[in-house]
Amino acid sequence: MVYLAVGPYGGYSRLKVKINDITGYSDKDSKNGWLIGTKIGGIYSFDKNNELEFGFKADKTNYGKMTEFDSEEFNADNVKEINYGLYLGYNYKF
C-alpha cells in the first residue's frame, strides 16, 4: 500500500568553514543554525512494521553573520544554505 507523505520538517545544522587563500592565509570557523524545510513524496508499506519512504525535499538554513571571515574577498554578512533533492529512506515501526 502507498501513502502520500507531505509536510514541513525542521532540525539543527552545524556549518564548518575553512578558508585558504593564495597568500597562504588559512582560517576556520563554525556556526550553528536552525533548518526549515518541506517534503513531498510517498510511503510504501510492506507490512505493519516496515516501510520505504521516497520523494523530493527542500530546506534552508540561516547561519547569520560570520565575523571571522568578513573581508573584501569574502562577504560573510548573512550566510545561508539551501539544499534540495530526492530522498529515499527506510522506516521501521516498533
Side-chain angles (χ1 to χ4, degrees):
M1 179 152 227
V2 177
Y3 301 97
L4 180 64
V6 177
Y9 65 93
Y12 178 78
S13 179
R14 182 163 179 85
L15 175 69
K16 292 183 179 183
V17 178
K18 184 175 181 182
I19 293 179
N20 297 314
D21 67 10
I22 58 174
T23 65
Y25 173 77
S26 177
D27 201 358
K28 58 185 173 179
D29 193 11
S30 62
K31 292 289 275 191
N32 303 318
W34 292 102
L35 178 139
I36 298 172
T38 185
K39 67 179 182 177
I40 184 167
I43 298 174
Y44 176 72
S45 183
F46 297 105
D47 56 33
K48 68 177 187 162
N49 296 93
N50 299 288
E51 59 189 24
L52 195 61
E53 186 174 346
F54 55 90
F56 179 82
K57 67 179 188 171
D59 56 58
K60 178 180 177 180
T61 307
N62 187 348
Y63 296 102
K65 186 174 176 107
M66 297 187 85
T67 56
E68 194 75 24
F69 298 118
D70 203 11
S71 66
E72 290 180 14
E73 296 85 23
F74 184 78
N75 184 358
D77 284 339
N78 195 9
V79 178
K80 296 178 184 176
E81 180 181 18
I82 298 172
N83 296 303
Y84 57 90
L86 300 175
Y87 73 93
L88 177 66
Y90 169 78
N91 301 323
Y92 180 80
K93 298 182 280 185
F94 294 95

